[in-house]
Amino acid sequence: MMYKLQRFELVENLRNKGITDELFLNAMLNVEREKYIPSGVRPHAYKDIALPIGYEQTISQPYTIAIMTEALKLKRNEKVLEIGTGSGYQAALLYEMGAKVYSIERNMDIYNEVLKRFEKLGIRVHCKCGDGTLGWDAYAPFDKIIVTAGSPGVPDALKRQLAVNGRMVIPVGNKSSQTLKVLSKTSPDEFEIEEIPQFAFVPLIGRDGWK
Ligand code: SAH
């Protein structure tokens, strides 16, 4: 419990920055970020910064995670697809929020590590190792889709696999900077799109991402 106060302070900090989704803030109070990062960076677990998780990948800054998750407008029991499992921290937050979580990771080593972590921590997320730009047809449609790596565009498979009235959050841009696109699916082939500027994610690599 040594990180409990720091976790509380981080959540207060996010509130002060304008985050209001109580379901999310409450999940953030309960999920232990220090358990998702390498031991060397653990002292920084509750700073509002991105941290390295190995394999040239990063766990996003808490404020970025907050903006993305709040934009999903997630409700309990909704079905969510996450692309880029990474450390598993984002997936654990979604699970803690009461969602049915499906998550895809392309890197086999990261995938194997996160499976062990979820097992140990009792996080029940459906995981798959593969190219997330193709989505996960077997479980579509999804109420929400969250992509946690930067893409050159919105993959068609993800647009198709989003439920009508569903929402998707995806960073789109070049390799060094992206805007966060928030898509709401208003009919089988229509989307409303909002954009939140200035983010920097690691690249989404795949058939409908970066090659
Ligand atoms: N959500 C993660 C963030 C991980 S960083 C967390 O909370 O820690 C982005 C991850 O996306 C990396 O692990 C990277 O390997 C993965 N990734 C990149 N392209 C992918 C693709 N096409 N499909 C699935 N995962 C991908």
Side-chain angles (χ1 to χ4, degrees):
M1 282 295 116
M2 61 188 290
Y3 287 105
K4 201 169 178 189
L5 178 60
Q6 291 183 46
R7 195 152 54 238
F8 177 80
E9 285 171 350
L10 176 61
V11 170
E12 288 308 293
N13 176 14
L14 293 174
R15 274 183 211 282
N16 291 336
K17 286 181 173 169
I19 303 298
T20 58
D21 182 339
E22 286 302 326
L23 191 59
F24 169 75
L25 291 167
N26 198 52
M28 198 116 192
L29 276 180
N30 292 325
V31 178
E32 299 168 300
R33 195 169 186 247
E34 72 275 13
K35 299 205 169 145
Y36 295 81
I37 56 180
S39 54
V41 293
R42 227 159 261 165
H44 308 297
Y46 292 100
K47 293 190 179 145
D48 192 14
I49 54 173
L51 292 169
I53 55 170
Y55 313 97
E56 296 177 2
Q57 304 302 322
T58 53
I59 175 173
S60 299
Q61 178 186 349
Y63 182 62
T64 300
I65 293 176
I67 294 284
M68 292 181 89
T69 311
E70 188 161 75
L72 281 181
K73 300 195 198 265
L74 186 64
K75 296 184 203 81
R76 278 186 186 288
N77 296 316
E78 283 186 329
K79 200 163 37 157
V80 187
L81 176 65
E82 179 195 29
I83 311 302
T85 318
S87 70
Y89 179 64
Q90 171 78 67
L93 287 168
L94 298 168
Y95 174 72
E96 183 69 27
M97 290 170 78
K100 295 186 215 75
V101 186
Y102 296 79
S103 187
I104 307 175
E105 171 56 53
R106 72 179 283 276
N107 179 304
M108 180 73 85
D109 297 313
I110 294 178
Y111 173 76
N112 285 325
E113 257 179 54
V114 79
L115 278 194
K116 274 190 258 160
R117 179 171 298 135
F118 284 155
E119 174 80 51
K120 191 166 134 197
L121 299 174
I123 307 291
R124 282 183 290 280
V125 165
H126 308 267
C127 294
K128 161 167 145 169
C129 190
D131 179 1
T133 67
L134 308 177
W136 199 340
D137 225 359
Y139 293 103
F142 298 95
D143 301 308
K144 306 288 156 75
I145 298 179
I146 178 168
V147 181
T148 66
S151 180
V154 184
D156 282 335
L158 299 185
K159 284 189 189 164
R160 243 183 294 118
Q161 291 175 24
L162 187 64
V164 173
N165 295 321
R167 294 168 74 80
M168 169 167 25
V169 180
I170 175 170
V172 175
N174 59 39
K175 278 193 181 160
S176 58
S177 106
Q178 303 89 32
T179 56
L180 208 55
K181 291 206 183 216
V182 184
L183 289 81
S184 331
K185 190 161 176 174
T186 51
S187 81
D189 49 17
E190 285 172 303
F191 294 84
E192 273 173 22
I193 306 178
E194 287 162 63
E195 293 191 33
I196 312 175
Q198 286 296 330
F199 290 86
F201 286 82
V202 296
L204 182 75
I205 297 167
R207 211 160 82 193
D208 207 358
W210 296 102
K211 299 297 180 287

